[in-house]
Amino acid sequence: MSKLSVLMEVWAFLKERKKWWIAPIIVFLILLGTLIVFTQGSAVAPFIYALF
């Protein structure tokens, strides 16, 4: 299953079920995940882990 098909399936679920309140949660989780991935080996990592 490609990443694009997963995104299209989530989009179809949101449209069909009218669960628009889930969209900000998904966006936040994606942004948080990319922040953690991109700062894993940097000097900013200790500050990010201190937030949690």
Side-chain angles (χ1 to χ4, degrees), residues 1-2 5-9 11-12 14-15 18 21-22 24-29 31 35-36 38 40 46-47 51:
M1 216 173 176
S2 71
S5 66
V6 171
L7 291 175
M8 294 303 293
E9 194 169 329
W11 177 252
L14 291 175
K15 278 178 40 179
K18 307 288 191 236
W21 58 272
I22 297 176
I25 297 170
I26 293 172
V27 169
F28 177 74
L29 289 174
L31 290 174
L35 177 71
I36 290 173
F38 285 128
Q40 230 173 9
F47 300 110
L51 293 175

